[in-house]
Amino acid sequence: MRNLIDVTDLSVAEIDELIATAEDMIAEPDKYAQVCRGKQLATLFFEPSTRTRLSFESAMLSLGGSVLGFSEANSSSTAKGETVGDTVHTVSCYVDIVAMRHPKEGAPYAAAQYSEVPIINAGDGGHNHPTQTLTDLLTIHREKGRLDNLTVGFCGDLKFGRTVHSLVNALSRQKGINFVFISPEELKMPAYIKENTLDKNGLSYEETASLEEAMPKLDILYMTRVQKERFFNEADYIRLKDTYVLDPEKLETAKKDLCILHPLPRVNEISIAVDSDPRACYWKQVKNGKFIRMALIMKLLELQL
Amino acid sequence: MKIDSIQDGVVLDHIKAGKSMDIYKYLHLDKLDCSVAIIKNVRSGRLGKKDIIKIDSPMEVDLDVLGYIDPDITVNIIRNGVRVEKKHLALPEKLVNVIHCKNPRCITTAESQLPAIFLLSDAQKRSYRCAYCEAEKTRRV
Ligand SMILES: [Zn+2]
């Protein structure tokens, strides 16, 4: 039995396989409409995230399966002091697969020790969110036709942004990736990622505070939001959140085939005027998120067409 | 007990001088009924000074714990007054309930009954990561 706790639980070949399945699902969704008939997915959201939960539920429904679950810890047994292991163990007696989100880091790893069915980590605090990374990879692949030999810019909160860390990690396993890290001094990429993931693998990266300077060379621009809850000080937050706002003017020097990604929700870091630019791919990304989750559910349930 | 003459027991040798009390604590030697001798600051060619612990009981020493604290310690097993085995240690790949995660956002700090699991992440730096939240811990003892 396989779980997906961290995106590196999957090999590069397995990720390629998931992307291929998802692309086939996008091309011919009807083929997959009954694959999960009779199967149940539980979405256990100990912390609410409507967007991620609905993506999982829509994925399972599109495969012909059914869904049940809860959102918010206080509506569940956790409020009565039950451990995450016991809650997940109980639910795993009813269903075929579990997608869980939890505010504590490592909770899905703990749950997986007690579960009788595959666990998908749908986000554990600021730690991992592997299905977002798979979504990002699928989107890059659909837009560029490849995952290697790309110049990828990451902009915004690179210190706390888990989606950024996880995507850097996943892309570091590809050939010929040039990383460009664009952030204010306070929100730079942590040293352990530069040392353990990039330096160790001999990968090149550059760091800059200027989005304008980086723009012309980018194939991919991954924007992130600066999250208020990461700051102790309101003034710091207000100052930093407006550092990088992507607007049509900044895009003037960008490549014609730049691909702009954002894990959403956005606050103000991408102006709405950019939405109509063909290079804006973040709404496609949302759509892709459902298909990669469909492919993942099929894989973890070991189902074939 | 005469310190030199253990019949059936364990001698931990080549402990870095001053570290024997840490080992006493980590191996829970205070819970033992038998005699335990801690010999500090013994002159040694290799280390200059070293500590030695002699345990007068054929106990199973947790080699993972010792390997984590200091892989240079040697473990001598004594039977009928004779050393029958000399074990060298290695940094263990996995530590269970030896060290605990200090990350306040980690599930193990919220649910303390979970086994504390750490995995070796960098043998050169002797650093471990929490299996749950991946917070790093560099050997401190
Ligand atoms: Zn931890």
Side-chain angles (χ1 to χ4, degrees):
Chain A
M1 191 180 82
R2 293 280 302 272
N3 303 303
L4 179 64
I5 306 298
D6 185 309
V7 75
T8 53
D9 293 347
L10 296 166
S11 68
V12 173
E14 285 175 314
I15 290 176
D16 288 346
E17 194 189 300
L18 283 175
I19 289 175
T21 307
E23 290 187 331
D24 194 50
M25 286 169 164
I26 293 168
E28 294 183 75
D30 291 348
K31 249 167 55 181
Y32 296 86
Q34 299 298 328
V35 174
C36 284
R37 200 156 87 186
K39 301 285 183 189
Q40 295 184 8
L41 164 79
T43 49
L44 308 187
F45 278 55
F46 297 86
E47 165 187 81
S49 170
T50 309
R51 157 188 313 272
T52 305
R53 184 170 57 84
L54 292 181
S55 178
F56 271 105
E57 295 187 356
S58 171
M60 190 55 165
L61 294 172
S62 300
L63 291 167
S66 45
V67 296
L68 65 158
F70 60 78
S71 188
E72 279 190 78
N74 56 16
S75 65
S76 78
S77 45
T78 312
K80 298 175 201 143
E82 191 178 49
T83 64
V84 65
D86 279 357
T87 305
V88 173
H89 194 170
T90 304
V91 175
S92 76
C93 296
Y94 309 142
V95 303
D96 302 284
I97 188 164
V98 170
M100 68 174 280
R101 189 186 191 96
H102 198 285
K104 289 286 179 184
E105 300 176 10
Y109 178 89
Q113 315 301 311
Y114 304 96
S115 175
E116 299 189 13
V117 301
I119 298 283
I120 301 172
N121 180 1
D124 57 336
H127 182 217
N128 275 324
H129 191 6
T131 58
Q132 178 65 51
T133 308
L134 293 175
T135 301
D136 300 340
L137 293 172
L138 172 61
T139 308
I140 294 172
H141 194 266
R142 283 186 66 71
E143 297 305 314
K144 295 289 173 191
R146 64 181 192 278
L147 293 175
D148 54 3
N149 295 304
L150 294 164
T151 298
V152 187
F154 292 88
C155 180
D157 176 3
L158 309 188
K159 184 176 180 187
F160 300 106
R162 64 176 172 190
T163 55
V164 168
H165 300 168
S166 178
L167 184 57
V168 167
N169 210 336
L171 286 174
S172 72
R173 303 196 288 180
Q174 300 288 335
K175 283 196 182 67
I177 299 288
N178 255 313
F179 293 96
V180 184
F181 300 133
I182 308 146
S183 72
E185 191 59 35
E186 294 92 331
L187 296 174
K188 276 171 84 170
M189 188 64 80
Y192 74 89
I193 293 188
K194 290 186 274 185
E195 286 165 19
N196 298 350
T197 308
L198 301 172
D199 294 343
K200 211 178 243 178
N201 296 311
L203 297 163
S204 71
Y205 61 88
E206 47 190 294
E207 294 184 287
T208 172
S210 163
L211 178 56
E212 287 84 347
E213 185 194 301
M215 190 65 87
K217 58 188 150 203
L218 302 179
D219 298 310
I220 310 282
L221 173 58
Y222 198 94
M223 296 293 295
T224 62
R225 74 182 179 283
V226 174
Q227 285 178 280
K228 194 174 184 175
E229 55 268 33
R230 303 290 182 209
F231 291 89
F232 295 110
N233 179 327
E234 178 96 16
D236 279 351
Y237 167 69
I238 290 170
R239 181 170 54 83
L240 291 173
K241 92 180 158 73
D242 292 330
T243 314
Y244 305 105
V245 175
L246 186 63
D247 54 28
E249 201 176 293
K250 286 206 183 79
L251 279 170
E252 274 168 17
T253 61
K255 286 187 180 173
K256 291 274 172 288
D257 62 347
L258 171 73
C259 164
I260 305 163
L261 302 179
H262 190 300
L264 300 183
R266 67 178 152 184
V267 183
N268 67 336
E269 57 280 1
I270 301 182
S271 104
I272 290 170
V274 174
D275 290 7
S276 55
D277 190 303
R279 292 169 289 190
C281 298
Y282 32 91
W283 294 110
K284 292 184 197 167
Q285 212 176 343
V286 176
K287 211 166 208 172
N288 292 336
K290 168 183 162 173
F291 289 101
I292 201 76
R293 289 180 176 98
M294 287 168 69
L296 178 68
I297 290 168
M298 247 183 96
K299 178 179 174 63
L300 294 181
L301 288 176
E302 296 173 17
L303 298 171
Q304 314 280 323
L305 250 198
Chain B
M1 138 171 124
K2 270 169 76 187
I3 284 173
D4 291 341
S5 56
I6 282 179
Q7 279 304 302
D8 291 294
V10 184
V11 175
L12 308 178
D13 200 355
H14 299 112
I15 300 168
K16 273 195 196 75
K19 294 296 178 192
S20 49
M21 287 313 290
D22 290 334
I23 289 166
Y24 186 83
K25 189 187 82 188
Y26 270 95
L27 292 180
H28 305 294
L29 298 183
D30 56 322
K31 304 231 166 69
L32 290 177
D33 250 351
C34 67
S35 40
V36 176
I38 296 178
I39 310 161
K40 296 177 81 167
N41 299 322
V42 179
R43 262 177 228 294
S44 155
R46 214 171 103 207
L47 298 167
K49 275 197 245 163
K50 65 178 182 179
D51 290 0
I52 301 173
I53 297 179
K54 297 191 175 191
I55 305 160
D56 199 13
S57 155
M59 72 175 292
E60 287 288 323
V61 175
D62 188 331
L63 296 177
D64 281 353
V65 173
L66 272 186
Y68 168 68
I69 297 171
D70 185 353
D72 294 329
I73 294 171
T74 49
V75 179
N76 300 286
I77 309 294
I78 313 293
R79 293 287 179 271
N80 300 316
V82 180
R83 182 170 78 191
V84 293
E85 200 183 348
K86 181 176 182 173
K87 293 180 180 174
H88 290 279
L89 301 172
L91 272 183
E93 288 293 326
K94 185 178 181 181
L95 293 170
V96 179
N97 290 329
V98 178
I99 46 176
H100 296 270
C101 189
K102 293 264 161 57
N103 174 3
R105 300 175 305 277
C106 179
I107 186 70
T108 60
T109 37
E111 296 189 2
S112 56
Q113 83 296 343
L114 286 167
I117 305 172
F118 277 76
L119 305 172
L120 182 63
S121 67
D122 188 329
Q124 270 179 347
K125 287 199 227 154
R126 294 185 180 179
S127 68
Y128 285 81
R129 283 187 184 279
C130 172
Y132 299 84
C133 73
E134 296 178 90
E136 191 173 33
K137 203 144 188 173
T138 304
R139 199 191 60 119
R140 164 197 70 81
V141 181

Short mmCIF file of all heavy atoms in Angstrom, two decimals, chain B residues 9-40:
data_model
loop_
_atom_site.label_atom_id
_atom_site.label_comp_id
_atom_site.label_asym_id
_atom_site.label_seq_id
_atom_site.Cartn_x
_atom_site.Cartn_y
_atom_site.Cartn_z
N GLY B 9 29.04 -8.79 32.34
CA GLY B 9 28.56 -7.42 32.22
C GLY B 9 29.04 -6.75 30.96
O GLY B 9 29.41 -7.39 29.97
N VAL B 10 29.02 -5.41 31.02
CA VAL B 10 29.33 -4.61 29.85
C VAL B 10 30.29 -3.50 30.26
O VAL B 10 30.09 -2.86 31.30
CB VAL B 10 28.04 -3.96 29.28
CG1 VAL B 10 28.35 -3.21 28.00
CG2 VAL B 10 26.96 -5.00 29.05
N VAL B 11 31.30 -3.28 29.44
CA VAL B 11 32.19 -2.15 29.68
C VAL B 11 32.12 -1.22 28.47
O VAL B 11 32.35 -1.64 27.34
CB VAL B 11 33.65 -2.63 29.89
CG1 VAL B 11 34.59 -1.42 30.03
CG2 VAL B 11 33.74 -3.52 31.12
N LEU B 12 31.75 0.01 28.74
CA LEU B 12 31.72 1.02 27.67
C LEU B 12 33.00 1.80 27.74
O LEU B 12 33.26 2.48 28.74
CB LEU B 12 30.52 1.96 27.84
CG LEU B 12 29.16 1.29 28.01
CD1 LEU B 12 28.08 2.34 28.22
CD2 LEU B 12 28.83 0.43 26.79
N ASP B 13 33.79 1.70 26.71
CA ASP B 13 35.13 2.30 26.74
C ASP B 13 35.22 3.41 25.69
O ASP B 13 34.41 3.51 24.79
CB ASP B 13 36.16 1.20 26.46
CG ASP B 13 37.55 1.62 26.95
OD1 ASP B 13 37.71 2.76 27.42
OD2 ASP B 13 38.47 0.78 26.85
N HIS B 14 36.25 4.21 25.83
CA HIS B 14 36.52 5.32 24.91
C HIS B 14 35.40 6.35 24.85
O HIS B 14 35.09 6.91 23.79
CB HIS B 14 36.83 4.80 23.49
CG HIS B 14 38.04 3.91 23.47
ND1 HIS B 14 37.96 2.55 23.20
CD2 HIS B 14 39.33 4.17 23.73
CE1 HIS B 14 39.17 2.02 23.29
NE2 HIS B 14 40.02 2.99 23.61
N ILE B 15 34.77 6.57 25.99
CA ILE B 15 33.78 7.65 26.08
C ILE B 15 34.56 8.95 26.20
O ILE B 15 35.53 9.03 26.96
CB ILE B 15 32.90 7.46 27.34
CG1 ILE B 15 32.17 6.12 27.27
CG2 ILE B 15 31.94 8.62 27.50
CD1 ILE B 15 31.52 5.72 28.58
N LYS B 16 34.12 9.96 25.46
CA LYS B 16 34.80 11.26 25.57
C LYS B 16 34.74 11.73 27.02
O LYS B 16 33.69 11.67 27.66
CB LYS B 16 34.10 12.29 24.67
CG LYS B 16 34.64 12.27 23.27
CD LYS B 16 34.20 13.52 22.51
CE LYS B 16 34.41 13.30 21.02
NZ LYS B 16 33.40 12.41 20.42
N ALA B 17 35.85 12.23 27.51
CA ALA B 17 35.92 12.66 28.92
C ALA B 17 34.80 13.64 29.22
O ALA B 17 34.57 14.58 28.48
CB ALA B 17 37.27 13.29 29.21
N GLY B 18 34.08 13.36 30.29
CA GLY B 18 33.00 14.26 30.71
C GLY B 18 31.63 13.87 30.20
O GLY B 18 30.62 14.45 30.61
N LYS B 19 31.58 12.90 29.27
CA LYS B 19 30.29 12.55 28.67
C LYS B 19 29.62 11.35 29.34
O LYS B 19 28.52 10.94 28.94
CB LYS B 19 30.47 12.25 27.17
CG LYS B 19 30.90 13.45 26.36
CD LYS B 19 29.82 14.52 26.38
CE LYS B 19 30.27 15.74 25.59
NZ LYS B 19 29.39 16.89 25.84
N SER B 20 30.27 10.76 30.33
CA SER B 20 29.72 9.53 30.89
C SER B 20 28.37 9.73 31.57
O SER B 20 27.51 8.85 31.52
CB SER B 20 30.71 8.90 31.86
OG SER B 20 31.18 9.88 32.76
N MET B 21 28.16 10.91 32.16
CA MET B 21 26.88 11.11 32.83
C MET B 21 25.73 11.21 31.83
O MET B 21 24.62 10.79 32.11
CB MET B 21 26.91 12.39 33.70
CG MET B 21 27.73 12.24 34.97
SD MET B 21 27.39 10.73 35.93
CE MET B 21 25.74 11.07 36.56
N ASP B 22 26.02 11.76 30.64
CA ASP B 22 24.98 11.81 29.60
C ASP B 22 24.56 10.40 29.22
O ASP B 22 23.40 10.10 29.01
CB ASP B 22 25.51 12.52 28.35
CG ASP B 22 25.70 14.01 28.58
OD1 ASP B 22 25.00 14.56 29.45
OD2 ASP B 22 26.55 14.61 27.90
N ILE B 23 25.58 9.55 29.08
CA ILE B 23 25.29 8.17 28.68
C ILE B 23 24.53 7.45 29.78
O ILE B 23 23.58 6.71 29.53
CB ILE B 23 26.61 7.46 28.32
CG1 ILE B 23 27.09 8.08 27.00
CG2 ILE B 23 26.44 5.97 28.22
CD1 ILE B 23 28.49 7.77 26.65
N TYR B 24 24.94 7.70 31.01
CA TYR B 24 24.23 7.14 32.18
C TYR B 24 22.75 7.47 32.08
O TYR B 24 21.87 6.63 32.27
CB TYR B 24 24.84 7.77 33.44
CG TYR B 24 24.34 7.20 34.75
CD1 TYR B 24 24.88 6.02 35.27
CD2 TYR B 24 23.36 7.86 35.47
CE1 TYR B 24 24.44 5.51 36.48
CE2 TYR B 24 22.91 7.36 36.68
CZ TYR B 24 23.46 6.19 37.19
OH TYR B 24 23.01 5.69 38.38
N LYS B 25 22.48 8.71 31.70
CA LYS B 25 21.09 9.17 31.61
C LYS B 25 20.37 8.55 30.40
O LYS B 25 19.28 8.00 30.54
CB LYS B 25 21.10 10.71 31.48
CG LYS B 25 19.74 11.36 31.59
CD LYS B 25 19.80 12.86 31.29
CE LYS B 25 19.78 13.08 29.79
NZ LYS B 25 20.03 14.45 29.36
N TYR B 26 20.99 8.61 29.22
CA TYR B 26 20.33 8.12 28.00
C TYR B 26 20.06 6.62 28.05
O TYR B 26 19.09 6.13 27.48
CB TYR B 26 21.17 8.44 26.76
CG TYR B 26 20.83 9.77 26.14
CD1 TYR B 26 21.55 10.91 26.46
CD2 TYR B 26 19.78 9.88 25.24
CE1 TYR B 26 21.23 12.14 25.91
CE2 TYR B 26 19.46 11.09 24.67
CZ TYR B 26 20.18 12.22 25.00
OH TYR B 26 19.86 13.43 24.44
N LEU B 27 20.96 5.86 28.70
CA LEU B 27 20.77 4.41 28.77
C LEU B 27 19.93 4.01 29.97
O LEU B 27 19.72 2.84 30.23
CB LEU B 27 22.13 3.70 28.83
CG LEU B 27 23.00 3.77 27.57
CD1 LEU B 27 24.32 3.03 27.80
CD2 LEU B 27 22.30 3.18 26.35
N HIS B 28 19.47 5.00 30.71
CA HIS B 28 18.63 4.76 31.91
C HIS B 28 19.32 3.83 32.90
O HIS B 28 18.71 2.93 33.46
CB HIS B 28 17.26 4.18 31.50
CG HIS B 28 16.55 5.03 30.50
ND1 HIS B 28 16.08 6.29 30.79
CD2 HIS B 28 16.26 4.82 29.18
CE1 HIS B 28 15.52 6.81 29.70
NE2 HIS B 28 15.62 5.95 28.72
N LEU B 29 20.61 4.04 33.10
CA LEU B 29 21.36 3.16 34.00
C LEU B 29 20.94 3.36 35.46
O LEU B 29 21.17 2.49 36.29
CB LEU B 29 22.88 3.40 33.83
CG LEU B 29 23.42 3.10 32.43
CD1 LEU B 29 24.94 3.29 32.38
CD2 LEU B 29 23.07 1.69 31.96
N ASP B 30 20.30 4.49 35.73
CA ASP B 30 19.82 4.71 37.10
C ASP B 30 18.73 3.71 37.47
O ASP B 30 18.48 3.48 38.65
CB ASP B 30 19.28 6.15 37.23
CG ASP B 30 18.20 6.45 36.19
OD1 ASP B 30 18.34 5.97 35.05
OD2 ASP B 30 17.23 7.15 36.51
N LYS B 31 18.11 3.08 36.48
CA LYS B 31 17.03 2.13 36.76
C LYS B 31 17.59 0.74 37.08
O LYS B 31 16.84 -0.16 37.45
CB LYS B 31 16.09 2.04 35.56
CG LYS B 31 15.52 3.40 35.14
CD LYS B 31 14.01 3.36 35.02
CE LYS B 31 13.43 4.77 34.93
NZ LYS B 31 13.79 5.45 33.65
N LEU B 32 18.90 0.56 36.91
CA LEU B 32 19.47 -0.77 37.14
C LEU B 32 19.67 -1.04 38.62
O LEU B 32 19.94 -0.14 39.41
CB LEU B 32 20.83 -0.88 36.43
CG LEU B 32 20.82 -0.93 34.90
CD1 LEU B 32 22.25 -0.97 34.38
CD2 LEU B 32 20.04 -2.14 34.40
N ASP B 33 19.57 -2.32 38.98
CA ASP B 33 19.77 -2.74 40.36
C ASP B 33 21.24 -3.06 40.64
O ASP B 33 21.71 -2.97 41.77
CB ASP B 33 18.96 -4.03 40.61
CG ASP B 33 17.80 -3.73 41.55
OD1 ASP B 33 17.78 -2.61 42.09
OD2 ASP B 33 16.94 -4.61 41.73
N CYS B 34 21.95 -3.46 39.59
CA CYS B 34 23.32 -3.93 39.76
C CYS B 34 24.28 -2.77 40.00
O CYS B 34 23.89 -1.60 39.89
CB CYS B 34 23.75 -4.69 38.52
SG CYS B 34 23.89 -3.60 37.11
N SER B 35 25.51 -3.07 40.27
CA SER B 35 26.46 -1.97 40.46
C SER B 35 26.94 -1.44 39.11
O SER B 35 27.11 -2.17 38.15
CB SER B 35 27.65 -2.40 41.33
OG SER B 35 28.06 -3.69 41.01
N VAL B 36 27.09 -0.13 39.09
CA VAL B 36 27.54 0.57 37.89
C VAL B 36 28.69 1.48 38.31
O VAL B 36 28.54 2.25 39.25
CB VAL B 36 26.41 1.43 37.29
CG1 VAL B 36 26.92 2.22 36.10
CG2 VAL B 36 25.21 0.57 36.89
N ALA B 37 29.81 1.34 37.64
CA ALA B 37 30.94 2.21 37.98
C ALA B 37 31.17 3.20 36.86
O ALA B 37 31.22 2.83 35.68
CB ALA B 37 32.21 1.37 38.18
N ILE B 38 31.26 4.45 37.22
CA ILE B 38 31.61 5.48 36.25
C ILE B 38 33.02 5.95 36.58
O ILE B 38 33.28 6.42 37.68
CB ILE B 38 30.63 6.66 36.33
CG1 ILE B 38 29.22 6.17 35.95
CG2 ILE B 38 31.07 7.80 35.42
CD1 ILE B 38 28.17 7.24 36.05
N ILE B 39 33.91 5.76 35.65
CA ILE B 39 35.30 6.14 35.90
C ILE B 39 35.61 7.31 34.98
O ILE B 39 35.50 7.19 33.76
CB ILE B 39 36.24 4.96 35.61
CG1 ILE B 39 35.71 3.71 36.33
CG2 ILE B 39 37.66 5.27 36.06
CD1 ILE B 39 36.26 2.42 35.78
N LYS B 40 35.94 8.42 35.58
CA LYS B 40 36.11 9.62 34.77
C LYS B 40 37.58 9.99 34.60
O LYS B 40 38.41 9.70 35.44
CB LYS B 40 35.36 10.79 35.42
CG LYS B 40 33.85 10.53 35.46
CD LYS B 40 33.09 11.64 36.17
CE LYS B 40 32.87 12.80 35.24
NZ LYS B 40 31.86 13.74 35.82
#
